[in-house]
Amino acid sequence: MSRIALLEPPYSDRAGELLARMMPGDAQPIGLFRMFARNLSMAGAMHGWGRYELGRQLTLTTREREIVIDRTCARCGCEYEWGVHMMTFAERVELTREQATSLAYGGPGDSCWTSEPERLLILAVDMLHERSDIDDALWARLASVFDDLQLLDLLLLCGWYHAVSFAARTARLPREPGAPRFSDFTEAPDGHGGEEELRVAARAGTTRDAAHTPLTSGGSQ
């Protein structure tokens, strides 16, 4: 059960209008949005930024965006938001099962990643998660592939989904119907599960079981 009660219908006119704008078509609002709508002023402000992050003005491609979001949510242990994006976008951006597994359990060295820009995005998310910074060497590699606008989008996208992950995980949001769980992707890519990344996580005390816990603090919920 969510620690913060989700807004339930019938909604007020203001809440109903906002929730309708937050969802595509006639889709029912997900739990995250129903939680945010408890604070309508906050939810309204967030909606504008969220539309940018998931919209066409973002300078990263949709696939690059989803790699950043999925890796960020996995590193934060936010099974809720990771599952929402896997359910909604993974097939659309042609993420393979091996790549989905790698985003939760492995690393950029897994053989499923053949694109250097995609490997760099995963490295950037990991370094931001671990250090709240990117060192000069990785920045130079990123800057050789992405322009300044794309790099700004990368930084803010990763930060935004840290915030979303913090809220969804701390509130104990229940999984959306049909959304996958981390445990649905437990076969490690390449048969090793990103061993170096797992060792780094283990040293930080952030993984309990390399076979079933993603590269994060405390795993899924």
Side-chain angles (χ1 to χ4, degrees), residues 133-182:
D133 193 10
I134 292 177
D135 65 24
D136 290 342
L138 179 55
W139 186 261
R141 293 174 67 189
L142 287 162
S144 72
V145 175
F146 300 101
D147 63 27
D148 286 351
L149 300 184
Q150 291 170 313
L151 291 170
L152 283 169
D153 273 336
L154 163 63
L155 296 175
L156 271 292
L157 181 67
C158 184
W160 176 247
Y161 276 88
H162 269 83
V164 171
S165 294
F166 296 162
R169 187 173 183 190
T170 303
R172 305 293 192 262
L173 279 179
R175 184 168 57 102
E176 294 293 328
R181 308 196 68 148
F182 288 136

mmCIF file of all heavy atoms in Angstrom, residues 133-182:
data_model
loop_
_atom_site.group_PDB
_atom_site.id
_atom_site.type_symbol
_atom_site.label_atom_id
_atom_site.label_comp_id
_atom_site.label_asym_id
_atom_site.label_seq_id
_atom_site.Cartn_x
_atom_site.Cartn_y
_atom_site.Cartn_z
ATOM 1 N N ASP A 133 28.626 13.437 -10.424
ATOM 2 C CA ASP A 133 29.583 14.161 -11.254
ATOM 3 C C ASP A 133 30.016 13.233 -12.385
ATOM 4 O O ASP A 133 29.772 12.019 -12.335
ATOM 5 C CB ASP A 133 30.790 14.578 -10.406
ATOM 6 C CG ASP A 133 31.699 15.591 -11.095
ATOM 7 O OD1 ASP A 133 31.312 16.129 -12.155
ATOM 8 O OD2 ASP A 133 32.806 15.836 -10.582
ATOM 9 N N ILE A 134 30.637 13.795 -13.400
ATOM 10 C CA ILE A 134 31.250 13.031 -14.483
ATOM 11 C C ILE A 134 32.692 13.496 -14.606
ATOM 12 O O ILE A 134 32.950 14.710 -14.694
ATOM 13 C CB ILE A 134 30.491 13.234 -15.815
ATOM 14 C CG1 ILE A 134 29.100 12.601 -15.735
ATOM 15 C CG2 ILE A 134 31.276 12.651 -16.984
ATOM 16 C CD1 ILE A 134 28.249 12.803 -16.970
ATOM 17 N N ASP A 135 33.624 12.561 -14.586
ATOM 18 C CA ASP A 135 35.034 12.958 -14.619
ATOM 19 C C ASP A 135 35.441 13.422 -16.020
ATOM 20 O O ASP A 135 34.706 13.277 -16.997
ATOM 21 C CB ASP A 135 35.941 11.840 -14.098
ATOM 22 C CG ASP A 135 35.938 10.588 -14.974
ATOM 23 O OD1 ASP A 135 35.624 10.678 -16.185
ATOM 24 O OD2 ASP A 135 36.263 9.495 -14.442
ATOM 25 N N ASP A 136 36.636 14.009 -16.105
ATOM 26 C CA ASP A 136 37.087 14.616 -17.358
ATOM 27 C C ASP A 136 37.209 13.604 -18.483
ATOM 28 O O ASP A 136 36.906 13.910 -19.645
ATOM 29 C CB ASP A 136 38.427 15.317 -17.148
ATOM 30 C CG ASP A 136 38.321 16.573 -16.288
ATOM 31 O OD1 ASP A 136 37.186 17.087 -16.132
ATOM 32 O OD2 ASP A 136 39.359 17.028 -15.770
ATOM 33 N N ALA A 137 37.676 12.404 -18.148
ATOM 34 C CA ALA A 137 37.883 11.402 -19.190
ATOM 35 C C ALA A 137 36.565 10.994 -19.837
ATOM 36 O O ALA A 137 36.443 10.954 -21.070
ATOM 37 C CB ALA A 137 38.595 10.181 -18.603
ATOM 38 N N LEU A 138 35.548 10.694 -19.016
ATOM 39 C CA LEU A 138 34.260 10.303 -19.573
ATOM 40 C C LEU A 138 33.591 11.486 -20.253
ATOM 41 O O LEU A 138 32.960 11.328 -21.307
ATOM 42 C CB LEU A 138 33.352 9.722 -18.483
ATOM 43 C CG LEU A 138 31.958 9.289 -18.956
ATOM 44 C CD1 LEU A 138 32.036 8.298 -20.120
ATOM 45 C CD2 LEU A 138 31.162 8.684 -17.799
ATOM 46 N N TRP A 139 33.743 12.680 -19.693
ATOM 47 C CA TRP A 139 33.138 13.853 -20.324
ATOM 48 C C TRP A 139 33.697 14.061 -21.730
ATOM 49 O O TRP A 139 32.950 14.390 -22.664
ATOM 50 C CB TRP A 139 33.364 15.095 -19.474
ATOM 51 C CG TRP A 139 32.630 16.291 -20.021
ATOM 52 C CD1 TRP A 139 33.148 17.298 -20.786
ATOM 53 C CD2 TRP A 139 31.233 16.571 -19.882
ATOM 54 N NE1 TRP A 139 32.165 18.200 -21.116
ATOM 55 C CE2 TRP A 139 30.980 17.778 -20.577
ATOM 56 C CE3 TRP A 139 30.183 15.930 -19.219
ATOM 57 C CZ2 TRP A 139 29.711 18.353 -20.642
ATOM 58 C CZ3 TRP A 139 28.917 16.498 -19.283
ATOM 59 C CH2 TRP A 139 28.694 17.686 -19.978
ATOM 60 N N ALA A 140 35.000 13.870 -21.892
ATOM 61 C CA ALA A 140 35.605 14.032 -23.216
ATOM 62 C C ALA A 140 35.033 13.019 -24.200
ATOM 63 O O ALA A 140 34.777 13.348 -25.370
ATOM 64 C CB ALA A 140 37.117 13.885 -23.120
ATOM 65 N N ARG A 141 34.818 11.800 -23.728
ATOM 66 C CA ARG A 141 34.227 10.771 -24.605
ATOM 67 C C ARG A 141 32.791 11.132 -24.963
ATOM 68 O O ARG A 141 32.374 10.990 -26.113
ATOM 69 C CB ARG A 141 34.290 9.411 -23.924
ATOM 70 C CG ARG A 141 35.699 8.871 -23.741
ATOM 71 C CD ARG A 141 35.688 7.593 -22.924
ATOM 72 N NE ARG A 141 35.037 6.501 -23.646
ATOM 73 C CZ ARG A 141 34.744 5.318 -23.088
ATOM 74 N NH1 ARG A 141 35.028 5.105 -21.802
ATOM 75 N NH2 ARG A 141 34.171 4.386 -23.813
ATOM 76 N N LEU A 142 32.028 11.605 -23.983
ATOM 77 C CA LEU A 142 30.657 12.016 -24.245
ATOM 78 C C LEU A 142 30.611 13.184 -25.229
ATOM 79 O O LEU A 142 29.800 13.203 -26.166
ATOM 80 C CB LEU A 142 29.961 12.403 -22.942
ATOM 81 C CG LEU A 142 29.586 11.261 -21.999
ATOM 82 C CD1 LEU A 142 29.327 11.807 -20.596
ATOM 83 C CD2 LEU A 142 28.348 10.531 -22.503
ATOM 84 N N ALA A 143 31.499 14.165 -25.030
ATOM 85 C CA ALA A 143 31.503 15.367 -25.863
ATOM 86 C C ALA A 143 31.938 15.079 -27.289
ATOM 87 O O ALA A 143 31.676 15.891 -28.195
ATOM 88 C CB ALA A 143 32.400 16.431 -25.239
ATOM 89 N N SER A 144 32.599 13.941 -27.516
ATOM 90 C CA SER A 144 32.990 13.572 -28.879
ATOM 91 C C SER A 144 31.817 12.989 -29.654
ATOM 92 O O SER A 144 31.895 12.840 -30.874
ATOM 93 C CB SER A 144 34.146 12.558 -28.833
ATOM 94 O OG SER A 144 33.697 11.282 -28.392
ATOM 95 N N VAL A 145 30.738 12.644 -28.944
ATOM 96 C CA VAL A 145 29.578 11.998 -29.563
ATOM 97 C C VAL A 145 28.340 12.888 -29.489
ATOM 98 O O VAL A 145 27.548 12.961 -30.436
ATOM 99 C CB VAL A 145 29.293 10.640 -28.893
ATOM 100 C CG1 VAL A 145 28.018 10.019 -29.441
ATOM 101 C CG2 VAL A 145 30.476 9.691 -29.083
ATOM 102 N N PHE A 146 28.147 13.564 -28.352
ATOM 103 C CA PHE A 146 26.947 14.366 -28.115
ATOM 104 C C PHE A 146 27.317 15.844 -28.073
ATOM 105 O O PHE A 146 28.363 16.218 -27.531
ATOM 106 C CB PHE A 146 26.288 13.963 -26.798
ATOM 107 C CG PHE A 146 25.857 12.518 -26.749
ATOM 108 C CD1 PHE A 146 26.613 11.568 -26.077
ATOM 109 C CD2 PHE A 146 24.688 12.115 -27.390
ATOM 110 C CE1 PHE A 146 26.219 10.241 -26.037
ATOM 111 C CE2 PHE A 146 24.286 10.795 -27.358
ATOM 112 C CZ PHE A 146 25.053 9.842 -26.679
ATOM 113 N N ASP A 147 26.422 16.707 -28.601
ATOM 114 C CA ASP A 147 26.684 18.139 -28.533
ATOM 115 C C ASP A 147 26.225 18.708 -27.193
ATOM 116 O O ASP A 147 25.686 17.979 -26.341
ATOM 117 C CB ASP A 147 26.037 18.872 -29.711
ATOM 118 C CG ASP A 147 24.508 18.786 -29.736
ATOM 119 O OD1 ASP A 147 23.886 18.638 -28.665
ATOM 120 O OD2 ASP A 147 23.926 18.904 -30.827
ATOM 121 N N ASP A 148 26.442 19.993 -27.004
ATOM 122 C CA ASP A 148 26.140 20.610 -25.707
ATOM 123 C C ASP A 148 24.667 20.485 -25.335
ATOM 124 O O ASP A 148 24.327 20.277 -24.161
ATOM 125 C CB ASP A 148 26.540 22.086 -25.709
ATOM 126 C CG ASP A 148 28.047 22.294 -25.628
ATOM 127 O OD1 ASP A 148 28.771 21.303 -25.406
ATOM 128 O OD2 ASP A 148 28.498 23.439 -25.807
ATOM 129 N N LEU A 149 23.776 20.650 -26.307
ATOM 130 C CA LEU A 149 22.350 20.548 -26.006
ATOM 131 C C LEU A 149 21.988 19.143 -25.553
ATOM 132 O O LEU A 149 21.212 18.962 -24.603
ATOM 133 C CB LEU A 149 21.517 20.934 -27.229
ATOM 134 C CG LEU A 149 21.715 22.354 -27.782
ATOM 135 C CD1 LEU A 149 20.745 22.606 -28.931
ATOM 136 C CD2 LEU A 149 21.543 23.390 -26.687
ATOM 137 N N GLN A 150 22.542 18.151 -26.217
ATOM 138 C CA GLN A 150 22.267 16.763 -25.829
ATOM 139 C C GLN A 150 22.848 16.452 -24.459
ATOM 140 O O GLN A 150 22.233 15.725 -23.670
ATOM 141 C CB GLN A 150 22.842 15.817 -26.883
ATOM 142 C CG GLN A 150 22.124 15.876 -28.212
ATOM 143 C CD GLN A 150 22.866 15.120 -29.298
ATOM 144 O OE1 GLN A 150 24.085 15.265 -29.476
ATOM 145 N NE2 GLN A 150 22.137 14.288 -30.024
ATOM 146 N N LEU A 151 24.018 16.995 -24.158
ATOM 147 C CA LEU A 151 24.621 16.747 -22.852
ATOM 148 C C LEU A 151 23.792 17.386 -21.742
ATOM 149 O O LEU A 151 23.609 16.784 -20.670
ATOM 150 C CB LEU A 151 26.055 17.279 -22.829
ATOM 151 C CG LEU A 151 27.051 16.508 -23.697
ATOM 152 C CD1 LEU A 151 28.371 17.249 -23.800
ATOM 153 C CD2 LEU A 151 27.273 15.095 -23.145
ATOM 154 N N LEU A 152 23.285 18.582 -21.984
ATOM 155 C CA LEU A 152 22.407 19.205 -20.993
ATOM 156 C C LEU A 152 21.154 18.361 -20.786
ATOM 157 O O LEU A 152 20.706 18.165 -19.647
ATOM 158 C CB LEU A 152 22.030 20.622 -21.438
ATOM 159 C CG LEU A 152 23.104 21.697 -21.239
ATOM 160 C CD1 LEU A 152 22.694 22.978 -21.962
ATOM 161 C CD2 LEU A 152 23.338 21.969 -19.757
ATOM 162 N N ASP A 153 20.577 17.872 -21.880
ATOM 163 C CA ASP A 153 19.397 17.023 -21.749
ATOM 164 C C ASP A 153 19.721 15.740 -20.989
ATOM 165 O O ASP A 153 18.924 15.282 -20.167
ATOM 166 C CB ASP A 153 18.826 16.691 -23.127
ATOM 167 C CG ASP A 153 17.841 17.747 -23.618
ATOM 168 O OD1 ASP A 153 17.259 18.449 -22.771
ATOM 169 O OD2 ASP A 153 17.640 17.852 -24.840
ATOM 170 N N LEU A 154 20.874 15.151 -21.253
ATOM 171 C CA LEU A 154 21.290 13.948 -20.523
ATOM 172 C C LEU A 154 21.349 14.213 -19.025
ATOM 173 O O LEU A 154 20.801 13.445 -18.220
ATOM 174 C CB LEU A 154 22.653 13.486 -21.040
ATOM 175 C CG LEU A 154 23.433 12.501 -20.158
ATOM 176 C CD1 LEU A 154 22.673 11.182 -20.006
ATOM 177 C CD2 LEU A 154 24.824 12.260 -20.735
ATOM 178 N N LEU A 155 21.995 15.285 -18.626
ATOM 179 C CA LEU A 155 22.173 15.580 -17.203
ATOM 180 C C LEU A 155 20.833 15.812 -16.509
ATOM 181 O O LEU A 155 20.573 15.271 -15.432
ATOM 182 C CB LEU A 155 23.066 16.809 -17.029
ATOM 183 C CG LEU A 155 24.504 16.675 -17.533
ATOM 184 C CD1 LEU A 155 25.233 18.008 -17.408
ATOM 185 C CD2 LEU A 155 25.258 15.570 -16.800
ATOM 186 N N LEU A 156 19.972 16.613 -17.137
ATOM 187 C CA LEU A 156 18.695 16.933 -16.500
ATOM 188 C C LEU A 156 17.734 15.751 -16.541
ATOM 189 O O LEU A 156 16.931 15.560 -15.621
ATOM 190 C CB LEU A 156 18.068 18.160 -17.150
ATOM 191 C CG LEU A 156 18.471 19.521 -16.557
ATOM 192 C CD1 LEU A 156 17.915 19.677 -15.150
ATOM 193 C CD2 LEU A 156 19.983 19.721 -16.547
ATOM 194 N N LEU A 157 17.794 14.939 -17.599
ATOM 195 C CA LEU A 157 16.948 13.751 -17.679
ATOM 196 C C LEU A 157 17.298 12.770 -16.575
ATOM 197 O O LEU A 157 16.410 12.238 -15.891
ATOM 198 C CB LEU A 157 17.104 13.090 -19.050
ATOM 199 C CG LEU A 157 16.254 11.846 -19.305
ATOM 200 C CD1 LEU A 157 14.771 12.192 -19.352
ATOM 201 C CD2 LEU A 157 16.692 11.175 -20.620
ATOM 202 N N CYS A 158 18.584 12.539 -16.388
ATOM 203 C CA CYS A 158 19.017 11.637 -15.320
ATOM 204 C C CYS A 158 18.597 12.185 -13.962
ATOM 205 O O CYS A 158 18.066 11.453 -13.114
ATOM 206 C CB CYS A 158 20.532 11.464 -15.395
ATOM 207 S SG CYS A 158 21.203 10.279 -14.207
ATOM 208 N N GLY A 159 18.794 13.470 -13.738
ATOM 209 C CA GLY A 159 18.397 14.067 -12.470
ATOM 210 C C GLY A 159 16.898 14.022 -12.238
ATOM 211 O O GLY A 159 16.438 13.762 -11.122
ATOM 212 N N TRP A 160 16.125 14.259 -13.300
ATOM 213 C CA TRP A 160 14.664 14.223 -13.180
ATOM 214 C C TRP A 160 14.194 12.837 -12.751
ATOM 215 O O TRP A 160 13.326 12.717 -11.876
ATOM 216 C CB TRP A 160 14.048 14.621 -14.510
ATOM 217 C CG TRP A 160 12.560 14.552 -14.590
ATOM 218 C CD1 TRP A 160 11.812 13.697 -15.340
ATOM 219 C CD2 TRP A 160 11.613 15.389 -13.904
ATOM 220 N NE1 TRP A 160 10.468 13.935 -15.180
ATOM 221 C CE2 TRP A 160 10.324 14.986 -14.296
ATOM 222 C CE3 TRP A 160 11.749 16.445 -13.010
ATOM 223 C CZ2 TRP A 160 9.173 15.589 -13.814
ATOM 224 C CZ3 TRP A 160 10.593 17.046 -12.531
ATOM 225 C CH2 TRP A 160 9.334 16.622 -12.928
ATOM 226 N N TYR A 161 14.767 11.807 -13.337
ATOM 227 C CA TYR A 161 14.298 10.470 -12.986
ATOM 228 C C TYR A 161 14.900 9.953 -11.683
ATOM 229 O O TYR A 161 14.382 9.000 -11.109
ATOM 230 C CB TYR A 161 14.479 9.508 -14.166
ATOM 231 C CG TYR A 161 13.282 9.648 -15.086
ATOM 232 C CD1 TYR A 161 13.272 10.598 -16.096
ATOM 233 C CD2 TYR A 161 12.127 8.920 -14.855
ATOM 234 C CE1 TYR A 161 12.147 10.789 -16.889
ATOM 235 C CE2 TYR A 161 10.999 9.104 -15.644
ATOM 236 C CZ TYR A 161 11.017 10.042 -16.655
ATOM 237 O OH TYR A 161 9.885 10.225 -17.409
ATOM 238 N N HIS A 162 15.935 10.606 -11.174
ATOM 239 C CA HIS A 162 16.289 10.376 -9.777
ATOM 240 C C HIS A 162 15.158 10.892 -8.890
ATOM 241 O O HIS A 162 14.727 10.202 -7.965
ATOM 242 C CB HIS A 162 17.596 11.092 -9.410
ATOM 243 C CG HIS A 162 18.812 10.259 -9.600
ATOM 244 N ND1 HIS A 162 19.438 10.114 -10.816
ATOM 245 C CD2 HIS A 162 19.526 9.498 -8.729
ATOM 246 C CE1 HIS A 162 20.481 9.315 -10.682
ATOM 247 N NE2 HIS A 162 20.560 8.924 -9.425
ATOM 248 N N ALA A 163 14.681 12.094 -9.182
ATOM 249 C CA ALA A 163 13.599 12.668 -8.363
ATOM 250 C C ALA A 163 12.338 11.810 -8.443
ATOM 251 O O ALA A 163 11.699 11.527 -7.415
ATOM 252 C CB ALA A 163 13.301 14.093 -8.822
ATOM 253 N N VAL A 164 11.957 11.398 -9.654
ATOM 254 C CA VAL A 164 10.775 10.544 -9.811
ATOM 255 C C VAL A 164 10.967 9.230 -9.055
ATOM 256 O O VAL A 164 10.060 8.748 -8.376
ATOM 257 C CB VAL A 164 10.496 10.286 -11.303
ATOM 258 C CG1 VAL A 164 9.418 9.223 -11.481
ATOM 259 C CG2 VAL A 164 10.072 11.581 -12.004
ATOM 260 N N SER A 165 12.164 8.658 -9.172
ATOM 261 C CA SER A 165 12.443 7.391 -8.486
ATOM 262 C C SER A 165 12.375 7.549 -6.978
ATOM 263 O O SER A 165 11.838 6.675 -6.277
ATOM 264 C CB SER A 165 13.823 6.865 -8.894
ATOM 265 O OG SER A 165 13.851 6.501 -10.258
ATOM 266 N N PHE A 166 12.932 8.632 -6.464
ATOM 267 C CA PHE A 166 12.874 8.870 -5.021
ATOM 268 C C PHE A 166 11.427 8.913 -4.544
ATOM 269 O O PHE A 166 11.065 8.312 -3.527
ATOM 270 C CB PHE A 166 13.572 10.181 -4.652
ATOM 271 C CG PHE A 166 15.052 10.216 -4.923
ATOM 272 C CD1 PHE A 166 15.710 11.428 -4.990
ATOM 273 C CD2 PHE A 166 15.777 9.052 -5.121
ATOM 274 C CE1 PHE A 166 17.079 11.481 -5.238
ATOM 275 C CE2 PHE A 166 17.143 9.098 -5.381
ATOM 276 C CZ PHE A 166 17.794 10.315 -5.433
ATOM 277 N N ALA A 167 10.585 9.644 -5.293
ATOM 278 C CA ALA A 167 9.190 9.801 -4.881
ATOM 279 C C ALA A 167 8.439 8.473 -4.969
ATOM 280 O O ALA A 167 7.740 8.078 -4.031
ATOM 281 C CB ALA A 167 8.507 10.856 -5.752
ATOM 282 N N ALA A 168 8.569 7.784 -6.100
ATOM 283 C CA ALA A 168 7.810 6.546 -6.295
ATOM 284 C C ALA A 168 8.261 5.452 -5.353
ATOM 285 O O ALA A 168 7.440 4.720 -4.779
ATOM 286 C CB ALA A 168 7.942 6.083 -7.747
ATOM 287 N N ARG A 169 9.564 5.348 -5.153
ATOM 288 C CA ARG A 169 10.062 4.272 -4.292
ATOM 289 C C ARG A 169 9.760 4.555 -2.822
ATOM 290 O O ARG A 169 9.291 3.668 -2.094
ATOM 291 C CB ARG A 169 11.562 4.080 -4.490
ATOM 292 C CG ARG A 169 12.067 2.864 -3.730
ATOM 293 C CD ARG A 169 13.495 2.523 -4.024
ATOM 294 N NE ARG A 169 13.837 1.294 -3.288
ATOM 295 C CZ ARG A 169 15.049 0.819 -3.173
ATOM 296 N NH1 ARG A 169 16.053 1.434 -3.761
ATOM 297 N NH2 ARG A 169 15.274 -0.281 -2.483
ATOM 298 N N THR A 170 10.011 5.771 -2.395
ATOM 299 C CA THR A 170 9.783 6.095 -0.986
ATOM 300 C C THR A 170 8.311 6.016 -0.630
ATOM 301 O O THR A 170 7.952 5.616 0.484
ATOM 302 C CB THR A 170 10.332 7.495 -0.677
ATOM 303 O OG1 THR A 170 11.721 7.547 -1.005
ATOM 304 C CG2 THR A 170 10.153 7.840 0.795
ATOM 305 N N ALA A 171 7.443 6.371 -1.575
ATOM 306 C CA ALA A 171 5.999 6.304 -1.325
ATOM 307 C C ALA A 171 5.464 4.878 -1.386
ATOM 308 O O ALA A 171 4.301 4.646 -1.048
ATOM 309 C CB ALA A 171 5.252 7.168 -2.324
ATOM 310 N N ARG A 172 6.324 3.929 -1.815
ATOM 311 C CA ARG A 172 5.906 2.515 -1.932
ATOM 312 C C ARG A 172 4.723 2.359 -2.900
ATOM 313 O O ARG A 172 3.751 1.674 -2.614
ATOM 314 C CB ARG A 172 5.552 1.918 -0.569
ATOM 315 C CG ARG A 172 6.636 2.015 0.494
ATOM 316 C CD ARG A 172 7.841 1.155 0.149
ATOM 317 N NE ARG A 172 8.746 1.034 1.284
ATOM 318 C CZ ARG A 172 9.849 1.778 1.453
ATOM 319 N NH1 ARG A 172 10.160 2.722 0.547
ATOM 320 N NH2 ARG A 172 10.620 1.609 2.508
ATOM 321 N N LEU A 173 4.828 3.017 -4.046
ATOM 322 C CA LEU A 173 3.748 2.916 -5.020
ATOM 323 C C LEU A 173 3.585 1.474 -5.490
ATOM 324 O O LEU A 173 4.574 0.817 -5.835
ATOM 325 C CB LEU A 173 4.042 3.802 -6.239
ATOM 326 C CG LEU A 173 3.730 5.285 -6.112
ATOM 327 C CD1 LEU A 173 4.106 6.002 -7.397
ATOM 328 C CD2 LEU A 173 2.271 5.520 -5.786
ATOM 329 N N PRO A 174 2.377 0.971 -5.523
ATOM 330 C CA PRO A 174 2.160 -0.392 -6.014
ATOM 331 C C PRO A 174 2.389 -0.465 -7.515
ATOM 332 O O PRO A 174 2.124 0.493 -8.249
ATOM 333 C CB PRO A 174 0.695 -0.673 -5.660
ATOM 334 C CG PRO A 174 0.053 0.670 -5.571
ATOM 335 C CD PRO A 174 1.115 1.607 -5.065
ATOM 336 N N ARG A 175 2.869 -1.588 -7.976
ATOM 337 C CA ARG A 175 3.179 -1.788 -9.391
ATOM 338 C C ARG A 175 1.931 -1.630 -10.249
ATOM 339 O O ARG A 175 0.842 -2.058 -9.872
ATOM 340 C CB ARG A 175 3.769 -3.198 -9.560
ATOM 341 C CG ARG A 175 4.233 -3.547 -10.956
ATOM 342 C CD ARG A 175 5.048 -4.841 -10.911
ATOM 343 N NE ARG A 175 4.261 -5.922 -10.333
ATOM 344 C CZ ARG A 175 3.680 -6.875 -11.053
ATOM 345 N NH1 ARG A 175 3.779 -6.881 -12.365
ATOM 346 N NH2 ARG A 175 3.003 -7.835 -10.451
ATOM 347 N N GLU A 176 2.123 -1.016 -11.414
ATOM 348 C CA GLU A 176 1.012 -0.861 -12.352
ATOM 349 C C GLU A 176 0.663 -2.221 -12.964
ATOM 350 O O GLU A 176 1.552 -3.041 -13.224
ATOM 351 C CB GLU A 176 1.383 0.115 -13.475
ATOM 352 C CG GLU A 176 1.591 1.543 -13.028
ATOM 353 C CD GLU A 176 0.316 2.201 -12.534
ATOM 354 O OE1 GLU A 176 -0.771 1.868 -13.047
ATOM 355 O OE2 GLU A 176 0.413 3.062 -11.634
ATOM 356 N N PRO A 177 -0.627 -2.487 -13.199
ATOM 357 C CA PRO A 177 -1.025 -3.758 -13.810
ATOM 358 C C PRO A 177 -0.298 -3.989 -15.138
ATOM 359 O O PRO A 177 -0.264 -3.107 -15.995
ATOM 360 C CB PRO A 177 -2.530 -3.588 -14.037
ATOM 361 C CG PRO A 177 -2.951 -2.565 -13.030
ATOM 362 C CD PRO A 177 -1.794 -1.621 -12.908
ATOM 363 N N GLY A 178 0.306 -5.150 -15.263
ATOM 364 C CA GLY A 178 1.001 -5.507 -16.495
ATOM 365 C C GLY A 178 2.440 -5.055 -16.571
ATOM 366 O O GLY A 178 3.164 -5.436 -17.499
ATOM 367 N N ALA A 179 2.884 -4.232 -15.625
ATOM 368 C CA ALA A 179 4.263 -3.755 -15.659
ATOM 369 C C ALA A 179 5.211 -4.854 -15.187
ATOM 370 O O ALA A 179 4.921 -5.551 -14.210
ATOM 371 C CB ALA A 179 4.422 -2.514 -14.789
ATOM 372 N N PRO A 180 6.356 -5.027 -15.857
ATOM 373 C CA PRO A 180 7.300 -6.061 -15.423
ATOM 374 C C PRO A 180 7.976 -5.703 -14.115
ATOM 375 O O PRO A 180 8.025 -4.533 -13.716
ATOM 376 C CB PRO A 180 8.311 -6.110 -16.573
ATOM 377 C CG PRO A 180 8.261 -4.744 -17.173
ATOM 378 C CD PRO A 180 6.832 -4.295 -17.037
ATOM 379 N N ARG A 181 8.500 -6.710 -13.463
ATOM 380 C CA ARG A 181 9.282 -6.543 -12.246
ATOM 381 C C ARG A 181 10.743 -6.807 -12.569
ATOM 382 O O ARG A 181 11.067 -7.425 -13.587
ATOM 383 C CB ARG A 181 8.808 -7.519 -11.161
ATOM 384 C CG ARG A 181 7.321 -7.477 -10.901
ATOM 385 C CD ARG A 181 6.981 -8.146 -9.593
ATOM 386 N NE ARG A 181 7.505 -7.362 -8.482
ATOM 387 C CZ ARG A 181 6.925 -7.285 -7.282
ATOM 388 N NH1 ARG A 181 5.812 -7.948 -7.040
ATOM 389 N NH2 ARG A 181 7.447 -6.554 -6.335
ATOM 390 N N PHE A 182 11.633 -6.362 -11.705
ATOM 391 C CA PHE A 182 13.045 -6.694 -11.878
ATOM 392 C C PHE A 182 13.231 -8.207 -11.966
ATOM 393 O O PHE A 182 14.038 -8.694 -12.749
ATOM 394 C CB PHE A 182 13.879 -6.151 -10.717
ATOM 395 C CG PHE A 182 14.050 -4.657 -10.715
ATOM 396 C CD1 PHE A 182 13.914 -3.944 -9.534
ATOM 397 C CD2 PHE A 182 14.369 -3.962 -11.864
ATOM 398 C CE1 PHE A 182 14.093 -2.563 -9.510
ATOM 399 C CE2 PHE A 182 14.552 -2.582 -11.862
ATOM 400 C CZ PHE A 182 14.413 -1.884 -10.665
#
